[in-house]
Amino acid sequence: MPAAALKPKPLPTQSTAKRSVQLDLPYVPVAKRPLPPGRPRDWYVTHNRRLKAMRLAIALLDSGVYVPNQARNETIRSTAELIGVHAPSDTTCHMVRALMRYSR
């Protein structure tokens, strides 16, 4: 048996929900382009929600949060504050976790 297998694994010192999210700052947002005119309002709301969820998912992945179970609403909202976007709704937080689930 290898010697590494005999050593006990260190226990995590902090809960995932309470650790701080570290980002490479300064975070530079992507340049915005105008949306196409003439669509129903729901299309714009959904489109902007998806963009926000994608930005948050990327920021979380960059900070070391790789599993959707680690991305609680509080973690997502604190990341939103760090990157300079408004606090996401519960629906957007759910969408962030869904994006992280399929990013593997």
Side-chain angles (χ1 to χ4, degrees):
M1 182 176 281
L6 297 175
K7 292 182 181 178
K9 293 183 179 179
L11 296 174
T13 56
Q14 293 180 342
S15 170
T16 305
K18 295 181 181 177
R19 71 178 180 174
S20 64
V21 177
Q22 300 296 320
L23 294 174
D24 294 333
L25 295 177
Y27 180 82
V28 181
V30 178
K32 295 183 180 181
R33 296 182 296 178
L35 295 175
R39 304 274 176 135
R41 178 171 169 73
D42 288 344
W43 184 90
Y44 295 107
V45 171
T46 304
H47 177 77
N48 289 330
R49 187 184 306 273
R50 286 178 183 157
L51 288 178
K52 184 182 219 178
M54 189 169 42
R55 285 188 198 108
L56 287 168
I58 291 168
L60 285 166
L61 290 169
D62 286 345
S63 69
V65 178
Y66 300 112
V67 184
N69 295 343
Q70 294 175 330
R72 292 182 173 78
N73 288 356
E74 300 83 28
T75 308
I76 295 170
R77 289 185 177 122
S78 66
T79 303
E81 186 178 328
L82 282 175
I83 65 172
V85 297
H86 289 280
S89 64
D90 291 342
T91 304
T92 305
C93 290
H94 180 77
M95 194 177 288
V96 169
R97 285 187 288 275
L99 285 170
M100 292 177 71
R101 197 169 292 121
Y102 294 111
S103 70
R104 295 183 193 182

